[in-house]
């Protein structure tokens, strides 16, 4: 279920994907202000300018209330998420605009999978399994999902461990 609205993270502006991106018919592209300021290298900036001048790229910020809600939901799959504030903005925009995410970042794809945001991959790898993480105590094995650092039972260190809630392959 792909819409003609595409939300681009920084990886979409880099490298070989870009010419293919431009050829997607009837497409409207969106990205966030944070992605715009994150793009530093000449090639990515040039690619962004090309899309901007074609009138097909809108740069906007996600709604605050949606962003807050999204952060809470992301906690459920990973209490210590490696996603940056740039990534969280992009995911929120994709939900807000009901768009398809274009990203080669596997952490971002995983979160999109969980949030049921469609993902389009042009040249990179696409993840096949939803991955979740928990925090586990190194001393007593207690599991926690709320992002605490010290075990409430024994005072040991909580470590981030990956779990697989289901082994079914996703299409
Ligand atoms: Zn413990």
């Amino acid at each position: 279920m792909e819409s003609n609205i595409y939300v681009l993270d920084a990886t979409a502006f880099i490298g070989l994907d870009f010419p293919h991106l431009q050829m997607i018919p009837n497409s409207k592209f969106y990205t966030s202000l944070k992605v715009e300021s994150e793009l530093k290298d000449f090639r990515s900036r040039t690619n962004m300018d090309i899309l901007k001048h074609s009138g097909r790229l809108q740069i906007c910020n996600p709604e605050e209330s949606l962003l807050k809600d999204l952060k809470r939901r992301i906690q459920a799959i990973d209490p210590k998420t490696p996603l940056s504030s740039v990534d969280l903005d992009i995911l929120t925009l994709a939900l807000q605009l009901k768009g398809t995410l274009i990203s080669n970042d596997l952490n971002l794809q995983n979160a999109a999978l969980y949030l049921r945001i469609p993902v389009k991959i042009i040249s990179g790898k696409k993840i096949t399994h939803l991955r979740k993480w928990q925090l586990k105590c190194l001393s007593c094995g207690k599991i926690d999902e709320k992002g605490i650092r010290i075990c409430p039972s024994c005072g040991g260190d909580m470590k981030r461990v990956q779990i697989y809630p289901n082994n079914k392959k996703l299409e």
Side-chain angles (χ1 to χ4, degrees):
M1 259 202 359
E2 281 179 11
S3 66
N4 61 348
I5 292 172
Y6 295 94
V7 178
L8 312 178
D9 83 334
T11 65
F13 292 98
I14 300 166
L16 297 169
D17 285 3
F18 191 75
H20 302 283
L21 194 73
Q22 284 182 286
M23 309 222 302
I24 302 172
N26 306 318
S27 50
K28 284 179 193 157
F29 299 106
Y30 290 83
T31 196
S32 71
L33 282 161
K34 282 181 190 159
V35 168
E36 188 188 28
S37 53
E38 195 185 53
L39 289 184
K40 300 272 189 254
D41 68 292
F42 178 75
R43 192 165 170 186
S44 302
R45 290 223 64 98
T46 306
N47 288 342
M48 177 174 268
D49 285 342
I50 292 168
L51 262 201
K52 258 195 219 168
H53 291 133
S54 73
R56 296 162 77 196
L57 179 67
Q58 301 257 10
I59 299 171
C60 51
N61 273 330
E63 281 172 28
E64 276 302 319
S65 60
L66 292 174
L67 180 63
K68 229 170 136 182
D69 184 54
L70 180 115
K71 283 179 184 166
R72 195 179 46 75
R73 291 172 71 187
I74 292 294
Q75 281 268 312
I77 49 165
D78 191 351
K80 284 178 92 174
T81 179
L83 295 176
S84 66
S85 69
V86 184
D87 297 333
L88 296 171
D89 275 9
I90 286 299
L91 287 170
T92 308
L93 268 185
L95 280 177
Q96 188 179 323
L97 301 164
K98 296 179 174 48
T100 296
L101 172 72
I102 298 186
S103 171
N104 287 324
D105 181 325
L106 294 177
N107 283 316
L108 207 52
Q109 287 180 28
N110 189 60
L113 198 65
Y114 172 68
L115 298 163
R116 302 184 185 284
I117 296 169
V119 179
K120 188 175 177 67
I121 308 297
I122 296 169
S123 69
K125 276 189 181 167
K126 188 170 183 174
I127 58 160
T128 53
H129 293 78
L130 179 68
R131 290 178 167 85
K132 280 191 173 189
W133 288 264
Q134 293 176 325
L135 295 177
K136 189 176 181 180
C137 174
L138 295 179
S139 311
C140 75
K142 186 180 169 63
I143 298 288
D144 189 90
E145 296 183 341
K146 295 189 201 78
I148 53 168
R149 272 191 232 155
I150 305 293
C151 175
S153 301
C154 76
D157 285 332
M158 303 295 284
K159 194 187 174 226
R160 186 171 173 261
V161 291
Q162 201 176 95
I163 52 163
Y164 296 92
N166 64 58
N167 291 319
K168 244 173 55 188
K169 222 173 180 185
L170 295 148
E171 293 307 316

